[in-house]
Amino acid sequence: MKSSTIAILSVVGVLVLGTLWYISAGNGLVAQNENVSSAWAQVENVYQRRADLIPNLVNTVKGYAKHEADVLEAVTQARASVGQIKVNSPDDLKKFDAAQGQLSTALSRLMVISEKYPELKANTNFLELQSQLEGTENRITIERQRFNDVARSFNTAIKQFPGSIVAGNKGFKERAYFESKKGSDVAPEVKF
């Protein structure tokens, strides 16, 4: 064989291997991006579960606490505002997280009402809904952590060489994380 033929075959071989690597790396990033999207869908799923429980909880409390209308209205408004936010960017995620925080605060106020009404604390429907809501809050924490884990893996893959080349060519962008609220590093003070 001539040396020019060997050189051409070597160049073609390198191009073929490079193309196969590029396709494989691109497919890997697509799969990781889909994992992030799937994890986000699960986060939305558990938040939706919480939103679905709230009307039942509010209606149960309404029967006992008719003059606590401001708290009940705050919960209803917070729930409505959460449903209006669509997450398409890191800023949207911050807005979504802030709205969920407002809903959590409103729900906390609703739970405080139960302390004022002993009959409500003994109501089976209320206790069941409260238990489901507590379980849902735990699920939210777990799903947010899972989302952050897959987002971290994806973000690492698109930033490290040589994946960064493929990510840049294919338009993959960094995914945002859930972050703790300011002041959450300080334990709340409990007084009796």
Side-chain angles (χ1 to χ4, degrees):
M1 255 191 193
K2 292 184 180 178
S3 62
S4 62
T5 306
I6 292 173
I8 290 173
L9 289 176
S10 296
V11 168
V12 168
V14 167
L15 289 174
V16 167
L17 288 175
T19 301
L20 291 174
W21 169 83
Y22 184 84
I23 291 169
S24 176
N27 287 341
L29 290 177
V30 167
Q32 286 190 23
N33 190 46
E34 287 302 309
N35 285 342
V36 175
S37 296
S38 174
W40 175 248
Q42 188 56 28
V43 168
E44 288 183 317
N45 180 37
V46 292
Y47 275 124
Q48 184 62 50
R49 175 180 163 75
R50 176 168 77 169
D52 291 346
L53 288 171
I54 290 170
N56 296 328
L57 188 65
V58 167
N59 288 333
T60 302
V61 173
K62 273 184 185 178
Y64 288 92
K66 290 182 171 70
H67 47 283
E68 303 285 356
D70 59 327
V71 173
L72 299 172
E73 186 176 317
V75 170
T76 303
Q77 286 178 348
R79 179 183 177 268
S81 70
V82 163
Q84 296 172 357
I85 298 173
K86 298 296 178 220
V87 178
N88 296 316
S89 71
D91 287 338
D92 292 342
L93 181 61
K94 288 180 182 177
K95 290 175 188 173
F96 179 85
D97 200 27
Q100 290 293 345
Q102 290 174 343
L103 181 57
S104 293
T105 300
L107 282 172
S108 295
R109 290 178 55 207
L110 182 66
M111 291 303 160
V112 168
I113 288 176
S114 70
E115 299 299 319
K116 295 181 183 179
Y117 299 92
E119 312 86 40
L120 178 59
K121 289 192 325 188
N123 179 289
T124 307
N125 289 339
F126 178 78
L127 293 173
E128 175 67 24
L129 289 167
Q130 186 178 20
S131 174
Q132 287 185 27
L133 197 56
E134 288 169 357
T136 299
E137 293 298 326
N138 290 335
R139 288 179 185 153
I140 288 170
T141 300
I142 291 167
E143 295 305 333
R144 285 173 55 140
Q145 178 60 46
R146 287 182 184 161
F147 173 81
N148 279 350
D149 289 345
V150 296
R152 178 185 35 79
S153 178
F154 174 75
N155 290 343
T156 301
I158 67 169
K159 290 178 180 178
Q160 288 181 333
F161 182 81
S164 59
I165 295 169
V166 178
N169 288 337
K170 292 197 173 247
F172 287 110
K173 302 286 184 214
E174 184 176 359
R175 300 298 284 264
Y177 296 109
F178 279 104
E179 297 176 4
S180 62
K181 306 277 185 268
K182 288 185 179 184
S184 63
D185 56 333
V186 179
E189 187 177 324
V190 179
K191 293 183 181 180
F192 294 100

